Amino acid sequence: MASVEVNGRIFDEYVSAHEIAECVKKVAERINKDYADKEPLFICILNGAFMFASDLFKQIELSAEITFVRLKSYEGTKTTGDVKLLSPLAVNLEGRDVIVMEDIVDTGLTMHGFITYLKNAGANSVEVASFLFKPEALQYPDAAPKYIGMEIPTKFVLGYGLDYDEKGRNLPSLYVLRGN
Ligand code: 5GP
């Protein structure tokens, strides 16, 4: 099994680039079917989702738009997540059917906050397409993605856009931290 060293830690290959492509294709097929009569707005969460978003968007056969945003999430109270937009969304969300493209939903804090923001901004519908989902770590049920590339256990992963201290995003496969 292939392994890589990133920032002094060893990561083992977990999901091959070929398997990732299969997962992304299935997500695209479902979205193409579910939104056949709609013109959805895709919002890619930077930085982590850029690779997933690119591969997914290429397979979208709808009259769709894409825009990008950077988010910072923080725990407001024990039960309420909050999210800050580090770059403004230059699109009117009123009445739009939004599909958020995320790299990974872990506790769900980030998506919980962003879904609330999008609904408050007038979006007609909001769904999340996440490359990865850690169901055992989820703390915000409304953040469970409708479209999931792959469910994984609560382990630290990198590659395919996901980083470890900003390194490893360029790896085409997904890797898991050894001994994690
Ligand atoms: P959440 O708000 O759902 O707890 O966390 C989501 C964010 O945490 C992701 O967008 C990602 O930046 C980061 N994250 C969570 N788990 C992992 C992981 O296993 N690997 C990496 N690289 N980032 C993760």
Side-chain angles (χ1 to χ4, degrees):
M1 186 170 52
S3 58
V4 291
E5 188 178 332
V6 178
N7 288 330
R9 295 292 195 77
I10 306 294
F11 292 82
D12 296 309
E13 189 171 11
Y14 186 47
V15 185
S16 72
H18 177 74
E19 286 171 281
I20 291 173
E22 290 296 310
C23 293
V24 177
K25 188 170 168 226
K26 284 185 190 142
V27 171
E29 283 168 358
R30 281 188 61 202
I31 293 175
N32 283 330
K33 202 162 153 237
D34 291 356
Y35 287 80
D37 55 350
K38 299 202 169 77
E39 297 194 346
L41 169 67
F42 287 83
I43 303 180
C44 166
I45 311 298
L46 297 172
N47 296 331
F50 80 97
M51 224 178 255
F52 171 60
S54 170
D55 287 346
L56 178 61
F57 199 62
K58 273 184 274 189
Q59 298 179 67
I60 296 301
E61 296 162 352
L62 309 164
S63 172
E65 291 156 52
I66 186 167
T67 191
F68 302 83
V69 71
R70 296 191 69 170
L71 302 178
K72 187 176 169 59
S73 60
Y74 50 93
E75 202 99 35
T77 70
K78 269 209 160 67
T79 51
T80 324
D82 218 336
V83 73
K84 191 176 166 196
L85 274 69
L86 298 178
S87 55
L89 265 178
V91 182
N92 182 3
L93 296 164
E94 199 73 44
R96 297 304 307 263
D97 294 304
V98 174
I99 302 173
V100 182
M101 297 157 123
E102 176 63 307
D103 56 355
I104 185 164
V105 175
D106 186 30
T107 66
L109 173 67
T110 314
M111 277 307 101
H112 167 76
F114 193 50
I115 291 165
T116 308
Y117 170 87
L118 294 168
K119 288 191 170 157
N120 287 341
N124 178 54
S125 67
V126 181
E127 297 294 351
V128 176
S130 188
F131 168 46
L132 300 170
F133 178 41
K134 294 180 179 172
E136 287 149 23
L138 189 71
Q139 288 177 27
Y140 298 86
D142 67 323
K146 178 165 183 180
Y147 304 101
I148 300 164
M150 199 175 300
E151 289 194 1
I152 61 166
T154 309
K155 294 186 172 196
F156 188 82
V157 292
L158 98 168
Y160 196 65
L162 290 100
D163 73 311
Y164 173 44
D165 278 347
E166 293 305 325
K167 295 288 190 330
R169 293 193 197 274
N170 51 319
L171 295 164
S173 304
L174 191 71
Y175 290 77
V176 64
L177 179 63
R178 189 177 289 179
N180 178 224

